[in-house]
Amino acid sequence: MKTLLVTGGAGFIGANFIHYWLKKYPDDQLIALDALTYAGNMENLAPVQDNPHFTFVHGNIGDQLLVESLLEKHKVTTLVHFAAESHVDRSISGPDEFIETNIIGTYSLLKAAKQVWIDTPASKGEKPISHRFHHVSTDEVYGTLSATDLAFTEQTAYAPNSPYSASKAASDHLVRAYHHTYGLSVTTSNCSNNYGPYHFPEKLIPLVIINILHNKALPIYGDGMQIRDWLYVEDHAYGIDLVINKGLVGETYNIGGNNEWANINIVKAVRQLIEKAFIDDQALAKKYPDAQAAIAQNTESLITYVTDRPGHDRRYAIDATKTRDELGYEPRESFETGIAKTVHWYLNNEVWWQAVMNGSYRDWVEKQYVSN
Ligand code: NAD
Ligand code: DAU
C-alpha cells in the first residue's frame, strides 16, 4: 500500500489519473493538492469525494511548507506532479503564471521533496526515505517536426517554442538536476496531446464539441494542417502507472498514441460523430435546440479559418519505443473508440461543461469541499 501526493489533481489529466489509480489500487491513499485555478474543478473529483482513500487539499505547489507538512503528515512516498499552467494560447498572451507555476512551483516542490525525503532523515543520521518524484511533462519540449522528420525520442534535443513549452522544459531540467545533484529519485514522462472526459473547453476537441452544440464557429488556426498525436487520457494514466512502478530512477519515458492527425481532420471526425449522434438519438435535437448545424447535418458550415497561433508548432509525433520495450506500454484505447466515448461523454454531461463555462461551480466548491 502506497500514499501518493498528486499535484494538479483537480485538472483534466490529474483527475483522470486519480480515478484510474483508485480503481486499480483501491488500498492506496491519494492526496490531491490543487490551487483550483480557472482550470481546476472539484466536479472532476466528484466520483471520489466520499472515498475514504482520497483527500483533497486546496493549496499551491509553491507553498513549500504546506507541501513538506503534507509529505510528512501523510507519510507520502510517491509524488506525481501534474500541476501546471497548460494552455499554449494563454502562455502567449500572459506568460507570467507559466513561469511562476511551471518553473518556480516545480522548483519549490523539488525543495520540499528533498527536505522531507533526504535532508531531514540525514539530519538524524538516517538513510533517505525510499521515494519517487514523478514529473509529468509534454512532447512540446522537443519543438516542432516537419512532415518527414522522425518522431521525438527521449534523445531528441529540447527546442521549446512557446512560453508554455519553455516553462515545461525548464521544469524538466530542474527535475533532472535534482536527481543528478542531490540524489532525488525522479522519473519524467513526456506525453503527446490527451483527450477524454473532463477536458477543459479551451482545448481543441472539447471546444469543437461545445461550439457545435451552441452553433458557434469552429476556429481553425492557420491552414488547419498542423499535426498532433492524440492519446486517450486513461492511457496516459496507464503509462504513468508503468513508469512509477517499473521505470528506472533518473530516466525519462515518452508516452504517445501513435495516432497523428491534422487538426482539420480531427475537427471533421468530431463533427461527423456529433452529426451521427443527432441522427441516432432524436432527443438530442430537443436537448440542444441551438445546435442547428448539427440538426441539419451541416456542421462543416461552422468551420472558420482564423489567424494562426504565433510560433505555432507544425507537427508533434512521439516515438514511444523505449516505453514499449522497457515497460511493456501500449495504448489500450483505439482512437475510434476513445473519440466516440469522449463525444458521448460531453453530450451526456452538459451540467459539467455548462458549470465550467459559467464558473458557477466555484461557490459550490468553497462551501462543500475545500479543506486543508
Ligand atoms: P489542466 O490545466 O487541466 O490542469 C492543471 C491543474 O493544475 C488544475 O487543476 C490547476 O488548478 C492546477 N494548478 C495550476 N497551478 C497550480 C499551482 N500553482 N498549485 C497547485 N495547483 C495548480 O492541465 P492538464 O491538461 O490536466 O495537464 C496536466 C499536466 O500534464 C501538465 O503538467 C501538462 O503540462 C501535462 N501534459 C498535458 C497534456 C495535455 O494534452 N493536456 C499532454 C502532455 C502533458
Ligand atoms: O502536445 C501536448 C500538449 O497538448 C500539452 O502539453 C498541452 O498542455 C495541451 O494543451 C496540448 O497543447 P496543444 O496546443 O497541442 O493543444 P490545443 O488543444 O490548444 O490545440 C491543438 C491544436 O489545435 C493546435 O495545433 C492548435 C489548434 N487549435 C486549437 C484551438 C484551441 C485550433 O486550430 N483552434 C483552436 O481553437
Side-chain angles (χ1 to χ4, degrees), residues 217-250:
L218 308 179
I220 310 292
Y221 298 166
D223 64 2
M225 292 307 291
Q226 303 83 4
I227 291 172
R228 299 292 182 264
D229 171 4
W230 293 94
L231 180 73
Y232 191 62
V233 62
E234 211 171 274
D235 278 331
H236 188 181
Y238 170 51
I240 293 170
D241 174 6
L242 291 179
V243 175
I244 290 171
N245 282 308
K246 293 166 92 178
L248 296 179
V249 165

Side-chain angles (χ1 to χ4, degrees), residues 85-89 137-140 164 168 191-194 199 202-207 218-222 224 226-230 263 306 309 312-313 316:
E85 288 294 333
S86 70
H87 192 41
V88 175
D89 293 330
S137 192
T138 168
D139 59 0
E140 299 203 11
Y164 163 68
K168 290 297 290 186
C191 188
S192 61
N193 285 63
N194 287 212
H199 203 179
E202 67 190 349
K203 307 283 169 64
L204 181 68
I205 289 179
L207 179 130
L218 308 179
I220 310 292
Y221 298 166
Q226 303 83 4
I227 291 172
R228 299 292 182 264
D229 171 4
W230 293 94
N263 291 339
V306 299
R309 174 185 278 176
H312 198 169
D313 287 334
Y316 302 141

Side-chain angles (χ1 to χ4, degrees), residues 7-14 33-41 59-62 81-87 101-102 105 136-139 164 168 190-195 198-200 202-203 230 236:
T7 73
F12 163 47
I13 308 175
L33 171 65
D34 200 295
L36 295 176
T37 67
Y38 80 94
N41 182 352
N60 198 300
I61 55 166
H81 177 32
F82 291 96
E85 288 294 333
S86 70
H87 192 41
T101 287
N102 299 2
V136 179
S137 192
T138 168
D139 59 0
Y164 163 68
K168 290 297 290 186
N190 294 86
C191 188
S192 61
N193 285 63
N194 287 212
Y195 68 96
Y198 306 112
H199 203 179
F200 197 87
E202 67 190 349
K203 307 283 169 64
W230 293 94
H236 188 181

Side-chain angles (χ1 to χ4, degrees), residues 6-20 30 45 82 233:
V6 180
T7 73
F12 163 47
I13 308 175
N16 277 286
F17 175 83
I18 287 169
H19 301 316
Y20 166 94
L30 258 63
L45 295 169
F82 291 96
V233 62

